[in-house]
């Protein structure tokens, strides 16, 4: 079982490796996590290795190898925080390859019935591929001000409509000239909770 700080370090390593296509050095971990020295990063990395979260390759500055720890399940997203922030991760879910057309980067627990007619129900786990772009008709995870929502994307020039798949919910109208909208990812599948 990882401590909260170890989970944050592991998430930093994972995010760095995804964005830079290589693992971070101890110095990069220390700097990114706000540690006062590389020794603090070394202690956390060694603890992660002892607990089996990573493997260490001796004799190289980028000798951290991530083990497949599963896909993070994001619960309630804290206002203003990145979706993949450590405090949002409930647990990690192991999946088999080929389960989805695209490998998801995370699962998001669905809250509410706004997408029920698209087969996305309250409590379902939505498989999401990180992306900052979407085509009309795709179901996306969007951040609007401080809220995160799942809706169908439709854009005409500067005007965006986030469309619910339930007649009880009106579309959300967004004028990109006056209101920020961030696309966090595209839906690539769903797990039903029973």
């Amino acid at each position: 079982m990882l401590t909260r700080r170890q989970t944050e370090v592991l998430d930093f390593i994972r995010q760095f490796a995804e964005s830079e296509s290589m693992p971070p050095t101890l110095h990069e971990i220390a700097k990114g996590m706000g540690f006062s020295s590389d020794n603090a990063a070394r202690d956390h990395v060694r603890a992660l290795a002892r607990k089996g979260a990573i493997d260490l390759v001796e004799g190289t500055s980028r000798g951290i190898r991530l083990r497949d720890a599963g896909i993070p399940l994001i619960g309630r997203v804290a206002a203003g925080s990145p979706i993949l922030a450590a405090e949002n991760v409930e647990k990690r879910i192991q999946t088999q390859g080929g389960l989805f057309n695209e490998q998801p980067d995370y699962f998001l627990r669905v809250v509410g019935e706004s997408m029920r007619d698209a087969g996305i129900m309250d409590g379902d786990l939505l498989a999401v591929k990180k992306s900052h772009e979407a085509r009309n008709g795709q179901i996306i995870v969007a951040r609007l001000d401080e809220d995160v929502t799942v809706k169908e994307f439709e854009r005409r020039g500067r005007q965006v409509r986030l469309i619910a798949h339930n007649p009880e919910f009106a579309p959300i109208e967004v004028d990109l000239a006056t209101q920020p909208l961030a696309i966090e990812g595209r839906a690539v599948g769903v797990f039903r909770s029973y």
Side-chain angles (χ1 to χ4, degrees):
M1 193 67 162
L2 301 181
T3 67
R4 181 172 186 224
R5 195 61 167 159
Q6 289 166 352
T7 300
E8 291 171 352
V9 172
L10 182 60
D11 287 340
F12 174 85
I13 293 168
R14 184 174 285 108
Q15 290 171 5
F16 186 100
E18 288 174 3
S19 65
E20 303 298 323
S21 300
M22 61 183 165
T25 63
L26 291 175
H27 181 72
E28 289 164 336
I29 294 170
K31 185 177 177 184
M33 296 298 301
F35 297 146
S36 59
S37 73
D38 293 357
N39 287 335
R42 180 178 291 110
D43 291 343
H44 283 290
V45 166
R46 286 183 177 159
L48 289 171
R50 275 194 311 275
K51 292 182 176 183
I54 61 173
D55 292 316
L56 295 178
V57 180
E58 296 298 325
T60 177
S61 66
R62 297 187 185 275
I64 298 172
R65 299 288 176 263
L66 289 165
R67 290 189 176 178
D68 182 17
I71 299 168
L73 167 60
I74 308 302
R76 187 167 302 280
V77 176
S81 74
I83 281 188
L84 283 173
E87 62 269 18
N88 297 332
V89 176
E90 285 184 11
K91 63 181 177 178
R92 295 188 174 270
I93 298 174
Q94 297 290 337
T95 63
Q96 296 179 351
L99 192 59
F100 304 102
N101 287 336
E102 292 183 77
Q103 181 67 11
D105 292 302
Y106 59 93
F107 291 104
L108 184 67
R109 187 178 304 283
V110 175
V111 177
E113 296 288 333
S114 69
M115 296 300 288
R116 73 166 190 218
D117 295 344
I120 302 171
M121 308 296 193
D122 184 53
D124 284 355
L125 305 184
L126 187 69
V128 181
K129 180 74 175 172
K130 282 193 299 189
S131 176
H132 297 297
E133 299 178 0
R135 293 188 316 270
N136 286 348
Q138 289 182 318
I139 294 175
I140 64 164
V141 175
R143 183 181 296 277
L144 200 61
D145 297 320
E146 297 296 316
D147 296 319
V148 173
T149 188
V150 176
K151 298 287 184 285
E152 180 184 329
F153 179 79
E154 181 182 278
R155 180 176 180 172
R156 302 276 183 260
R158 294 184 327 195
Q159 302 298 315
V160 170
R161 294 176 78 219
L162 299 175
I163 304 166
H165 282 241
N166 180 336
E168 297 174 19
F169 293 83
I172 299 170
E173 307 279 345
V174 180
D175 182 345
L176 297 177
T178 60
Q179 188 175 13
L181 171 73
I183 298 171
E184 300 279 351
R186 295 177 286 103
V188 295
V190 68
F191 278 139
R192 175 76 12 90
S193 296
Y194 292 101

